[in-house]
Amino acid sequence: MFRYIVRRLLQMVLAFFGTTLIVYALMFAGQNDPIQALAGERPVTPAQRAYLTEKFHLDKTGVDGFFYRYFDYIKNLLQGDLGESLTGRSIGDILSAAWPVTAKLALIAIGVAVIFGVSAGVIAGMRRGSIFDNSTLVLTLLVLGVPTIVLAPLAQYLFGVKWQWFPATAGSDPSFYALLLPGIVLGSLSLATALRLTRTSVAESLRADYVRTAKSKGLKHRRIISVHVLRNSLIPVITFLGVELGNLMSGAIITEGVFNIPGVGFNLFRGIQTEDGPLVVGLVSVLVIIYLISNLIVDILYAVLDPRIRYE
């Protein structure tokens, strides 16, 4: 296990540098004039342009200039300095203000997927072909067929504006209740996928030889389900939820934009709009680290759920 973790950590380092290099290249290579894009239609004085050009090393052009800025950014990042956005605000301060909001939103979404999706998937798998099973399959198909860009405004209008069950927008300092509706919207796609994945996995496990052997030994049905079926069925579900948690932590740009949530996705989208390269790269770098760590935790959990799995 120790050798496996060390090997995965080395792979994570390579993946981190490769991802940040690609994002850095895409963000800065496609910029025409980031300073003017940030200012919009307002004129930029020569003094302001000279200051920002020197501060962000924009005067260095070509391939050499690109790699100079990239390695300078990596050096500061390894020292815990995410740098500053083109507005002059510390990216660390932006992230510290946005991160708790996105974390709450992601936890609500993953909680909805686990509580309702996995539970319903277990019941549907155990009662395959029943009315409940067929109903959940139809509902999940409907949810998966509707994109978030349609589902989020529709839920906002129905539950926030028309019926007023939830706040229509979250605001600058959203409470748990204000994040509940966008969290449900964000977790609906994960819920549908987790339900279908759990249902298929449970149904396959119930037909396995070890389940028939356990039944022939006279074990109680509850013990067969809880110890044998669920433990093996949850392995692919844990894989999905681990990857999905990293995706949810990425900020859910559409959901945060529709419900006016000042989270990571909202700031990331704003940085892309204004061509604020340092802000976009800084946020993406932190999200890549979270995504890699969540995948490592999922791999380690494999051995906990299934003793047959050993990493040599």
Side-chain angles (χ1 to χ4, degrees):
M1 176 66 77
F2 176 76
R3 292 177 59 186
Y4 172 77
I5 293 177
V6 172
R7 187 166 66 249
R8 282 300 310 272
L9 289 175
L10 294 176
Q11 293 174 354
M12 289 168 57
V13 171
L14 294 176
F16 172 77
F17 281 105
T19 305
T20 52
L21 179 62
I22 292 173
V23 173
Y24 201 91
L26 291 174
M27 194 63 213
F28 286 98
Q31 286 185 329
N32 296 321
D33 189 353
I35 298 176
Q36 188 61 55
L38 179 69
E41 298 181 355
R42 293 175 299 177
V44 181
T45 64
Q48 292 174 331
R49 181 175 293 276
Y51 171 75
L52 293 175
T53 300
E54 181 181 0
K55 182 178 181 180
F56 293 102
H57 309 293
L58 298 176
D59 54 331
K60 301 181 182 299
T61 58
V63 178
D64 294 338
F66 167 77
F67 281 104
Y68 177 85
R69 291 191 296 270
Y70 173 72
F71 286 115
D72 182 69
Y73 165 75
I74 292 296
K75 181 185 69 175
N76 295 329
L77 181 63
L78 294 177
Q79 296 174 355
D81 182 14
L82 293 173
E84 294 182 353
S85 67
L86 292 180
T87 60
R89 186 180 176 187
S90 171
I91 297 176
D93 294 340
I94 296 175
L95 188 62
S96 63
W99 182 252
V101 179
T102 297
K104 291 178 184 178
L105 184 64
L107 289 176
I108 293 174
I110 206 71
V112 169
V114 171
I115 295 173
F116 297 101
V118 176
S119 301
V122 171
I123 298 173
M126 294 173 59
R127 301 178 179 179
R128 191 174 182 181
S130 63
I131 297 177
F132 180 82
D133 181 29
N134 294 327
S135 300
T136 53
L137 288 178
V138 173
L139 289 175
T140 53
L141 284 175
L142 291 175
V143 173
L144 292 173
V146 180
T148 307
I149 196 171
V150 175
L151 186 61
L154 181 63
Q156 182 186 46
Y157 171 73
L158 292 177
F159 298 104
V161 178
K162 187 175 181 179
W163 297 330
Q164 297 183 356
W165 292 357
F166 299 95
T169 57
S172 58
D173 188 17
S175 62
F176 176 83
Y177 183 67
L179 292 174
L180 191 56
L181 179 59
I184 294 173
V185 172
L186 181 61
S188 60
L189 296 179
S190 302
L191 184 154
T193 306
L195 192 154
R196 296 176 67 87
L197 185 61
T198 306
R199 181 251 186 196
T200 302
S201 184
V202 169
E204 290 179 354
S205 297
L206 287 173
R207 296 194 301 268
D209 293 336
Y210 63 85
V211 174
R212 286 194 291 268
T213 303
K215 290 180 179 178
S216 65
K217 290 181 178 180
L219 294 180
K220 294 183 179 180
H221 182 71
R222 180 181 301 176
R223 179 174 176 79
I224 294 174
I225 296 298
S226 60
V227 176
H228 298 281
V229 175
L230 289 183
R231 192 166 186 175
N232 290 280
S233 301
L234 287 179
I235 293 177
V237 180
I238 290 295
T239 304
F240 166 74
L241 292 178
V243 175
E244 192 67 12
L245 180 60
N247 293 332
L248 295 175
M249 287 294 184
S250 65
I253 293 178
I254 297 175
T255 305
E256 289 189 358
V258 170
F259 290 94
N260 193 28
I261 301 173
V264 176
F266 183 85
N267 285 278
L268 187 60
F269 180 69
R270 185 178 60 183
I272 294 173
Q273 276 188 319
T274 58
E275 297 186 24
D276 195 334
L279 177 61
V280 173
V281 176
L283 294 179
V284 170
S285 299
V286 175
L287 295 175
V288 167
I289 295 174
I290 295 172
Y291 191 84
L292 293 174
I293 292 176
S294 64
N295 278 267
L296 177 63
I297 294 174
V298 167
D299 290 341
I300 295 175
L301 285 177
Y302 282 171
V304 177
L305 290 173
D306 193 344
R308 297 172 299 177
I309 299 177
R310 288 293 180 268
Y311 298 113
E312 299 296 342

